[in-house]
Amino acid sequence: ATAEIEGAAMADDVEKAILFAFDQSGAVAHDLRERAVGYLRDVQASPDAWRACVDRYPSTSYPEVRFWCLQTLTDAFKTSGVLQMLSDDDASFLQRTLLSWVAEAVQRADPPVPPFVKNKLAQVVAMVAKTQFPQRWPRFTHDFLDLLTGANQQQAHSAADVFCRVMDAVDDEIVAGASGDASSAAAAARVKDAMRVDTEALRRLPEAWKALMAFPDARVAVAATATARRYVDWMDVGLFVDGGFGVAGDSVANAARANLGAEDVDRRAAACVFFGALVAKGMDHRTKTELIRGLGLVETCAQLNAGVGADDDDEDFALRAAQLAAAVGHELVSCLRAGDAAACADPSEPHAPPPPPETLQTAAGLLDALMPVAVTHLRAEDERAVAAALPLCSAYAHRLKDPFSGSAGGFKGGAAGGGSSSVGGSGVGTTSTRDRDTGGLGFGDGGDGLDMLSSSSASGGGGIYSSFATAPVCVDAATARSALRAVAVACVFRGAFPDERRAGVDFSNATDPRVREAETETAELRRDLFVVFRTVARVSPAIALGAVRDALAAALPNDGALSPSGASWQQVEAAVSAVHLLGEGANDPAVKPGADGTADGLLSKASPLGELFAFVVTRWNGGDLSASGPKTLGEATLRPEANKAATHRLVALAFLETCARYHLAVARHPQTLLLPVLAAFLDARGARHADPEVAARACYLLSRFVKPLRQQIAAVLPEALNAMEEIVLNAVEPRRDASSEATSGGTVAVGKGTGNAMAVAGNDDRLYAYEALGFLLGTEDVKLPEEAQVSLTEKACARLRQRLETASAAGDAGTCARCIVACANIAKGFSPRLATEIRPRIGAALVAGLAPATACLARFDAAAVGPSAGVLRQRVVAYFQRMVQGVGRLAFPYAAPLVDRVRASGGADDLKECFVLCNQLCATFKKELAPFAETVTPALIAQTAAALAPFASPDGHAHGVLGVVSRVADVPDALARADASLAAREADANAAAAAAADAAARNTEESREARELEATFAAHLHALGASGLWVCFENESVSCSSTRDTALATLSFWAAAHPSAVSRKAALQALFKIAQAWFPDAAKGMSSERVAGFCQFASDVVVNECCVGAVLRGDLDVRDAAGAAAVGEAVAFQRLALERLGPNFAAQLRDGVLTASLGLDPSLAAEYVAAVTSTAQTAHRDARAVVARCQKVVQGARPGMRRRPCKR
C-alpha cells in the first residue's frame, strides 16, 4: 500500500484520490483520506463520469482504480438511466468494451486480475445485459460461451472462472435480484424468456456445465456446479436431465453425480446442493417422483450417508448430504400427503385430483427406503445435520398421525405386536380421541394406530386403502413401525449431552460459562428432538415406550454390574429425561390423577409408565425388578459402585425431576418405590449433592414430591425427619459457593423448569426443604402421635427463632431473610383446623416467630443498611400473611406492631404495603378487626396525607393526585380551588406546554407511587366499609371524629373533582359502603342515622355534587367504559339514598336539584328519579340512557356551568 501511495505521485488527481480513499494501511492521514472521498463523490456526481470511467479502466494498472471505475459504472447504470438513452452505436461500443475487459481478465496472468475486480466486472456486464439483451445484445450468452471454446489450455481455468462469475451475476442482478418493481420484473421475464428460446445456447450451456463439472481443478468444478444450481430454479428441467430421467444418459445431472464420488469434499458438497435444487424444482407429483426414481436419488443418499467420514473436514459434506436426503424426503411426503388429502376429501366438494396409484406406491417405497438414511442423519454429531433431518422425520410421523385425528374412533386394533402391556414389550396402547384432543398420550389404552394400517384392505394388492377416510395411503405397517422406532431411538440417543472431550468442557463444573452455553445448546436441540418424539408417541405409544425401555436397559446397571456397553452418564441422563418426557400429559395413572377412571386413582388400571418408572427406580441403585424393595432409608441410600452416574449433577437433576413427575406411581406402589425415591432426594444424589445448585433444586422437588405423598411417608416419618435434619439446618445458612444468594436453580435442567418460584432476593430453593418439613409434620395421619407432632414442630420452629435472633444480632440480613421465609414455609404444611382447633400448641409455635421477625425488621430499618431492610420487610409481611391464613386470630397481637414498623418511614410505597396488609386483614376477620382498625387507621390517614401533599394540586392534573382533605367543611373551598385552576388552564395561552409539563411530571417513579398510594387508600376505605368496620368510627371521640371527617371529605372531593374516572368510581364505591352502614334502615329497625349529620352530608354533598352534578354537567362520558362505570356507581348511591331517606329526599332531588338547580323539565326529572330507583333487569342500561339525555338538556340550559372533565 505504501508503494501505491508513492506511485500516486505519477498518477492524475482522480487516481491519487482513489488510492488515498482505498488506503487501509494508515499511511494516509485521516483528513486527507476524507478529502479524497469527498472529491471522488463530486466526480461521481458528474453526468459524464461513466464515460470517463470507460476510458480510464483499460489505462490504469491499479486494481483499486479499476474497482472504483466499475463501481461508478454500476451506480450510474442503476440510477441515471444511462443505458436506456444510449444510441445503437454507443450500445454496441459499450458491449465491445466490456467484452474486451472480460477477455483481458481471462488472458492476463502476470499479475492476474484480482477476484474482487472480476466480481464487479461481472456485475456491470449483467446490468448491461439486463437492459440490452436480447434486442441490442442478441449474442450475449454465446459471447461468454465463446470464452470457454476460445481459451487455450493455459487460459482454460481463468475462462471458466470468469464465465461462472458472469453467469452468477446474471442470476443475482436480473433474476434473483429483481427488486419487485414492475420494470425489474419485466426485465427478468424478458431475459429468462430469451434464454429459454435460444436453442443453440440451450444446447451449448449443458455442454459447458458438464465440461466444467469434470474440470480437473476442484475450484472450477465447484463454481460450475453452483452456477448450474442457480439456473435449475428457472430453466427447464430437461436442460439438466435426459428425457427419461435415467442415470445412464449424458446429462448435467450425471456429470454432477460423478462429483458425488469425488475425493474432494467440496465437489461432493456442491453436487449435493445441485441435486437438492433439482428435487425442489416445481413440477407435478408424478413427474417429481419419476425424477427421484430415475436419478436414483434415494440410493444416492444412502451411498452418500455411507461415505460420510468422521473427521472434521467432512462436516460440510455431511450437512449437504443430510439436506439432500431431507429435500428428497419432503417431496415424497408431499406426494403422499396429496394422496391422503384427496382420499379424505368429500366427494361432493371440488378438490385436486390425487396422484396416480402407481405414483403413490412408488413414492411410498422410496420413502420407506429413505427413512433409514434420515434417521442416520438424525443421529449425527453435527447439529446442523440433525436440524436438516428433523423436519423430515417430523413430517413422516405427522403423516401417520394426522389422518386419524378427526376420526370418530381414533386408532383401532389390538395391542401392537400382540404382546402384553408390560414395559418391556410392545403391547402398550395408544391414545383415544379424547386423549389426542387434549394432547395426552394414552398409554395402556390397548391399541396401536399402526395396526389399523396393517389390517386395512388394499385395492389390487397395491397397498392403497379402500377406506381412505380412516388411514393414510400406501403405508406398510411393519415398515412404518420400524421407521418410527428408529426415529424414536434416534431422538433419545441424540438428545444426550455431547462427549466432554469433543465439546471441550467438563459438565460437572457448573461454574464454567462454557458449560452453561453447552447446556443451553443441548436444551435447544433436545426441545426440537422431543417434539418429534412426542409425535411418534402419539402415533404409537408402544414404540416410544419400547425405545425408552431399551435406552434404559442399555444405560442402567443390573445387579451391581455396569452395562455391557459401558454406558456413559450422558446415556443415563438422556434415557431418564426421556422417561420424564413420556409423562408429560400422558393419560396414565402414574402421572395423571384419575386416569384410570376411579375415584381413588389407584390400581384399577395397568400403568405402563408406572412400570417403566419402577424399572428406573429399581435399577438406579443396581437392583432388579424381581427384588423386593428396601426396608429402611439406610438400605435405599446411594451405592456409588452400582451406579456411578447417579451423582453427576445433570443425571441427578433428571432423576429427581422424573421422580417428582411420577409421584403417583410411587403412591400406587409405596412399598417398593417410596424409600428408594425418598433416599435419592435426601442423600448425595439430591439435597446433599456436592453441587449447591443441584442440592437447592432437590429441595424444591422434594417439597413437590412430599406434598401429595405425606400420608405414605408418615409410616417412615421418624427416619425421614432424621435424614432431613442436617438439610433443613443448612438451608438457612449462606450458600457454600460464592455465587449470589439472590437466585438459585440456575442449573439448566434440560427439558424442565428451573424452580425459580421463590428464587428472589434473600431467598433460594433450599428453603423449600422447610416446606417439605411442614408437609411432613402437618399430616393428620393417625400414625403420627400428637405429642410427637407437637414437639417436633416446636423444636423446628424454636431452632429457626434462635438462628434468626443470632443472625439479627450479627447484622446478617441474608440469613435473617432466609430464617423468616423458612418460618413461613413450615406453616404451609399445617391446615388452620389442625393448628388452631385440634392442636393449638402447633399454631402458637408457628406464630411465635413473628416477634423476633418484627424485632429484626426494626433493627435493620434503624441501621439503614440499603436494600436489606426492604427485603426483610417483604419477607416479614409475607410471613405474617401466611400466619393470618394459617392460624387466624393467633396472629392478631403481631398485626399492629408490624404495621407500625412498615409505615415508619412514611414513604408512599411502604404506606401502600400497609394498606394492602390491612385490606387482607379486613377481608379475613371482618368486624373482629375493629380494635385494630380503630388504632391503626388514624395514623395511616395522617401519614397518607403527608405523603400525597407534595404531589397534590387543586385540579389533580399535575401528577394525577388530588390529595387528602381534612374536614368536610373544607370540601366547598377545595372544589372552588379546583374550578379556578381548571379555568386558569383553559385561559392559559401556553396550555399545550403546560400539558406537556404535566405529562413529564407524571412520568416519574415518585409520581407513579403517589398515584398508586391514592388508589390503595381509596381501596382501604372501601374495604373498611365492606368488612363492616366503619362502626368503630361512629363514636364522637376526637380520634374517631377526625378520621371519619377526613375520610368523608376526601372521598367526596375525589368523587366530585378527580381527573380520573377510575378514581371517581373507587371513591363512590367507598361512599356507598359507608352509606350502607350509616343510613337509616327500616328493615333492620334503624329509624335514625347512626352518625349525626351524615344524611345531610350525603344529600347536600355526595348526591348533589358527586352524583347528580358531576354526571349531568358532563364530567363523565357515558360512552367510555370507565366513565360509564363511574356513572353506574353514582346511580347506585342515589338509589340507596332514595330507598333509605324516603320520599322527602326524592322530592328534594326532583324539585330542588334536578329542576331548580339544573334546569330539567319536571317530567324529565321524574323520569330520572324513576330510572335511578328502577330494579328492572335493564335498569342500568335504561339509567345510562336517561343520564345521557339529561346531560344534553343541562348543558343546553346551563351553558356556563363549569365542568370538571376526567379521563380514564
Side-chain angles (χ1 to χ4, degrees):
T2 304
E4 290 176 350
I5 297 300
E6 293 173 352
M10 302 179 64
D12 61 16
D13 290 341
V14 173
E15 291 198 358
K16 288 180 185 178
I18 295 172
L19 294 174
F20 290 158
F22 275 79
D23 174 62
Q24 299 296 325
S25 66
V28 178
H30 177 73
D31 59 339
L32 179 59
R33 190 167 182 269
E34 291 298 317
R35 286 165 51 201
V37 170
Y39 173 74
L40 293 176
R41 192 178 297 116
D42 294 338
V43 172
Q44 287 177 319
S46 170
D48 294 327
W50 71 275
R51 294 183 182 274
C53 289
V54 170
D55 296 334
R56 183 178 296 277
Y57 180 90
S59 64
T60 183
S61 60
Y62 296 108
E64 295 88 349
V65 176
R66 288 192 162 195
F67 182 85
W68 182 85
C69 291
L70 294 172
Q71 183 62 54
T72 303
L73 290 174
T74 301
D75 295 340
F77 293 165
K78 276 185 177 180
T79 59
S80 63
V82 168
L83 294 175
Q84 290 81 357
M85 296 184 291
L86 290 178
S87 65
D88 291 343
D89 291 339
D90 287 342
S92 178
F93 169 75
L94 181 59
Q95 296 164 19
R96 293 193 303 272
T97 300
L98 291 177
L99 287 174
S100 68
W101 296 354
V102 170
E104 187 221 10
V106 171
Q107 298 165 5
R108 189 169 130 187
D110 188 22
V113 177
F116 69 91
V117 175
K118 290 181 182 179
N119 285 337
K120 186 57 68 174
L121 176 58
Q123 183 184 8
V124 173
V125 170
M127 295 188 67
V128 174
K130 182 177 181 179
T131 59
Q132 298 188 2
F133 177 69
Q135 288 84 359
R136 289 185 168 185
W137 198 350
R139 290 191 54 81
F140 165 75
T141 310
H142 296 275
D143 287 339
F144 288 93
L145 285 168
D146 290 342
L147 287 175
L148 301 175
T149 58
N152 57 37
Q153 187 173 0
Q154 290 77 19
Q155 298 171 353
H157 179 285
S158 183
D161 178 50
V162 172
F163 170 77
C164 291
R165 292 179 191 273
V166 170
M167 298 304 289
D168 288 348
V170 169
D171 182 70
D172 279 336
E173 291 294 323
I174 303 176
V175 181
S179 60
D181 59 278
S183 61
S184 295
R190 186 187 72 250
V191 170
K192 288 191 291 184
D193 291 344
M195 294 186 71
R196 288 166 179 161
V197 299
D198 189 342
T199 55
E200 178 62 19
L202 294 180
R203 181 190 63 80
R204 297 180 65 188
L205 270 174
E207 296 298 326
W209 278 324
K210 287 187 291 183
L212 294 179
M213 287 180 182
F215 204 83
D217 191 326
R219 292 173 297 176
V220 172
V222 170
T225 307
T227 301
R229 184 210 62 78
R230 289 171 174 267
Y231 285 77
V232 165
D233 294 338
W234 53 276
M235 299 292 279
D236 187 85
V237 69
L239 193 66
F240 305 95
V241 298
D242 58 25
F245 300 139
V247 297
D250 181 22
S251 64
V252 177
N254 285 326
R257 177 191 299 280
N259 281 339
L260 290 173
E263 292 184 4
D264 186 83
V265 292
D266 292 334
R267 280 182 184 261
R268 287 183 281 164
C272 287
V273 176
F274 171 81
F275 280 109
L278 196 61
V279 168
K281 187 171 177 61
M283 58 189 79
D284 62 81
H285 292 298
R286 184 190 66 80
T287 306
K288 181 66 67 67
T289 304
E290 285 301 312
L291 175 69
I292 294 172
R293 182 195 59 79
L295 292 177
L297 291 180
V298 172
E299 295 82 355
T300 298
C301 289
Q303 294 168 3
L304 292 174
N305 181 57
V308 172
D311 54 3
D312 292 340
D313 292 339
D314 281 356
E315 279 193 354
D316 188 61
F317 167 58
L319 172 61
R320 302 305 179 191
Q323 291 172 339
L324 174 59
V328 173
H330 276 297
E331 296 302 327
L332 296 173
V333 171
S334 177
C335 175
L336 293 171
R337 279 193 176 277
D340 297 340
C344 296
D346 186 347
S348 63
E349 295 291 335
H351 58 273
E358 59 274 13
T359 298
L360 293 174
Q361 293 178 18
T362 301
L366 293 172
L367 183 60
D368 289 341
L370 182 67
M371 283 309 297
V373 178
V375 171
T376 304
H377 290 304
L378 195 62
R379 300 170 69 102
E381 288 187 355
D382 188 352
E383 290 186 6
R384 299 174 300 168
V386 177
L390 269 171
L392 173 58
C393 295
S394 179
Y396 182 86
H398 268 290
R399 177 176 172 259
L400 298 178
K401 177 179 76 72
D402 287 349
F404 296 96
S405 299
S407 59
F411 288 158
K412 309 290 185 185
S420 67
S421 62
S422 67
V423 296
S426 58
V428 184
T430 66
T431 65
S432 64
T433 302
R434 174 181 60 83
D435 299 328
R436 188 161 40 254
D437 289 342
T438 59
L441 306 180
F443 292 100
D445 287 350
D448 192 319
L450 292 174
D451 286 335
M452 181 181 179
L453 304 179
S454 60
S455 62
S456 298
S457 59
S459 62
I464 301 178
Y465 303 111
S466 57
S467 179
F468 281 128
T470 57
V473 299
C474 297
V475 177
D476 179 77
T479 305
R481 185 177 289 110
S482 175
L484 288 176
R485 180 174 179 79
V487 170
V489 171
C491 287
V492 176
F493 170 83
R494 193 55 186 84
F497 283 88
D499 180 82
E500 289 175 313
R501 288 174 297 179
R502 178 177 176 83
V505 296
D506 179 9
F507 282 103
S508 63
N509 181 12
T511 60
D512 188 347
R514 297 175 302 162
V515 171
R516 301 289 192 188
E517 182 179 355
E519 288 180 18
T520 302
E521 291 174 355
T522 302
E524 293 173 354
L525 177 62
R526 181 176 289 183
R527 183 168 54 248
D528 296 334
L529 287 165
F530 281 0
V531 169
V532 179
F533 185 86
R534 288 190 191 96
T535 304
V536 174
R538 290 192 173 102
V539 176
S540 176
I543 288 176
L545 198 64
V548 176
R549 178 66 160 76
D550 291 347
L552 287 171
L556 295 179
N558 185 16
D559 290 334
L562 291 176
S563 60
S565 61
S568 63
W569 69 263
Q570 289 95 333
Q571 289 177 264
V572 177
E573 192 277 338
V576 175
S577 294
V579 177
H580 181 274
L581 174 69
L582 281 177
E584 183 177 325
N587 185 31
D588 187 286
V591 291
K592 183 177 181 181
D596 53 0
T598 64
D600 57 9
L602 297 180
L603 303 179
S604 64
K605 176 182 174 183
S607 173
L609 288 185
E611 296 176 28
L612 186 68
F613 177 70
F615 176 85
V616 176
V617 173
T618 54
R619 289 277 184 99
W620 202 245
N621 245 7
D624 193 286
L625 280 171
S626 60
S628 60
K631 305 303 180 185
T632 65
L633 269 179
E635 295 179 12
T637 53
L638 174 66
R639 292 164 51 199
E641 74 283 356
N643 187 357
K644 297 179 180 179
T647 55
H648 191 282
R649 50 183 288 271
L650 294 174
V651 177
L653 281 173
F655 179 70
L656 297 179
E657 294 276 1
T658 304
C659 291
R661 172 163 287 181
Y662 283 80
H663 67 271
L664 290 177
V666 179
R668 288 168 63 91
H669 301 286
Q671 65 279 6
T672 57
L673 300 182
L674 178 60
L675 288 178
V677 172
L678 192 58
F681 276 108
L682 298 176
D683 62 21
R685 295 166 291 182
R688 286 186 171 86
H689 199 281
D691 188 302
E693 290 183 350
V694 176
R697 179 69 177 170
C699 292
Y700 164 72
L701 295 172
L702 176 64
S703 71
R704 281 180 49 194
F705 178 79
V706 164
K707 183 176 181 179
L709 297 176
R710 61 168 115 182
Q711 300 296 333
Q712 288 85 350
I713 298 175
V716 293
L717 185 60
E719 195 174 4
L721 293 178
N722 184 58
M724 290 181 63
E725 184 171 1
E726 180 184 355
I727 297 170
V728 296
L729 288 177
N730 290 334
V732 296
E733 301 301 330
R735 288 275 293 269
R736 297 194 303 271
D737 59 344
S739 62
S740 171
E741 297 175 13
T743 60
S744 71
T747 297
V748 179
V750 179
K752 299 100 180 173
T754 55
N756 282 333
M758 296 171 59
V760 293
N763 195 10
D764 60 46
D765 282 357
R766 295 180 301 158
L767 298 176
Y768 280 105
Y770 282 93
E771 192 172 308
L773 178 63
F775 288 135
L776 292 177
L777 293 175
T779 179
E780 299 182 27
D781 195 281
V782 294
K783 298 175 185 176
L784 183 60
E786 176 180 356
E787 186 57 35
Q789 185 179 35
V790 172
S791 62
L792 288 171
T793 304
E794 289 178 337
K795 179 181 177 182
C797 294
R799 281 178 173 175
L800 282 175
R801 292 197 301 272
Q802 182 180 3
R803 185 68 184 94
L804 174 59
E805 291 167 354
T806 304
S808 177
D812 186 352
T815 300
C816 289
R818 285 189 296 273
C819 290
I820 293 168
V821 174
C823 291
N825 285 355
I826 286 183
K828 293 180 182 180
F830 297 86
S831 67
R833 176 174 170 270
L834 176 65
T836 58
E837 298 177 19
I838 301 177
R839 295 169 187 174
R841 285 174 56 193
I842 291 178
L846 295 175
V847 80
L850 281 173
T854 306
C856 166
L857 180 60
R859 184 187 188 286
F860 281 96
D861 272 342
V865 289
S868 300
V871 170
L872 284 173
R873 186 181 303 115
Q874 295 172 9
R875 296 291 156 253
V876 174
V877 170
Y879 178 24
F880 177 78
Q881 290 171 331
R882 170 59 57 185
M883 290 298 97
V884 168
Q885 296 174 4
V887 301
R889 298 180 186 85
L890 293 178
F892 269 1
Y894 305 95
L898 178 59
V899 170
D900 289 342
R901 186 67 263 157
V902 174
R903 68 178 179 83
S905 69
D909 216 29
D910 293 338
L911 291 173
K912 184 182 70 172
E913 190 172 357
C914 280
F915 283 130
V916 171
L917 180 60
C918 293
N919 292 348
Q920 182 200 21
L921 294 172
C922 292
T924 304
F925 298 109
K926 307 295 182 184
K927 293 183 179 180
E928 297 179 61
L929 199 67
F932 169 83
E934 188 174 355
T935 302
V936 171
T937 304
L940 278 176
I941 291 179
Q943 284 188 297
T944 301
L948 293 179
F951 303 93
S953 58
D955 57 7
H957 281 275
H959 292 275
V961 175
L962 276 180
V964 175
V965 180
S966 300
R967 299 183 307 155
V968 171
D970 296 335
V971 173
D973 292 339
L975 292 175
R977 289 194 299 271
D979 291 339
S981 178
L982 289 170
R985 284 180 179 274
E986 292 177 3
D988 188 357
N990 298 318
D998 290 344
R1002 286 193 296 269
N1003 194 27
T1004 62
E1005 185 68 13
E1006 294 78 8
S1007 179
R1008 180 192 62 79
E1009 290 180 355
R1011 289 193 297 273
E1012 290 180 354
L1013 173 60
E1014 190 178 69
T1016 310
F1017 179 41
H1020 176 63
L1021 297 178
H1022 177 270
L1024 291 175
S1027 303
L1029 290 172
W1030 278 109
V1031 65
C1032 62
F1033 297 102
E1034 293 175 358
N1035 63 67
E1036 295 302 324
S1037 66
V1038 175
S1039 175
C1040 291
S1041 175
S1042 174
T1043 301
R1044 183 176 65 232
D1045 211 28
T1046 301
L1048 293 177
T1050 300
L1051 290 174
S1052 58
F1053 180 45
W1054 292 356
H1058 206 287
S1060 167
V1062 174
S1063 296
R1064 292 203 188 194
K1065 172 191 169 185
L1068 287 168
Q1069 286 176 324
L1071 287 168
F1072 180 85
K1073 289 297 181 181
I1074 296 173
Q1076 279 185 317
W1078 290 348
F1079 272 161
D1081 189 354
K1084 295 182 180 180
M1086 294 168 48
S1087 58
S1088 61
E1089 59 184 5
R1090 300 182 62 126
V1091 175
F1094 177 73
C1095 293
Q1096 188 66 36
F1097 164 78
S1099 173
D1100 296 345
V1101 179
V1102 181
V1103 173
N1104 292 1
E1105 188 61 43
C1106 306
C1107 297
V1108 180
V1111 172
L1112 296 189
R1113 65 175 172 251
D1115 292 3
L1116 300 166
D1117 186 354
V1118 295
R1119 299 168 298 178
D1120 175 70
V1127 170
E1129 295 300 330
V1131 169
F1133 190 95
Q1134 293 173 75
R1135 182 182 298 117
L1136 178 66
L1138 288 166
E1139 290 174 357
R1140 299 281 191 91
L1141 300 183
N1144 291 336
F1145 172 74
Q1148 177 189 350
L1149 174 63
R1150 182 183 58 249
D1151 301 333
V1153 178
L1154 296 174
T1155 303
S1157 298
L1158 298 177
L1160 291 183
D1161 181 82
S1163 61
L1164 185 55
E1167 187 178 352
Y1168 177 94
V1169 173
V1172 167
T1173 56
S1174 173
T1175 58
Q1177 195 169 16
T1178 60
H1180 183 64
R1181 184 182 64 191
D1182 296 342
R1184 285 175 56 189
V1186 172
V1187 165
R1189 288 168 49 204
C1190 292
Q1191 278 183 339
K1192 295 179 180 179
V1193 173
V1194 169
Q1195 292 168 16
R1198 301 287 189 272
M1201 180 178 290
R1202 171 65 57 190
R1203 295 174 59 244
R1204 305 184 191 113
C1206 59
K1207 301 179 181 179
R1208 291 184 63 86

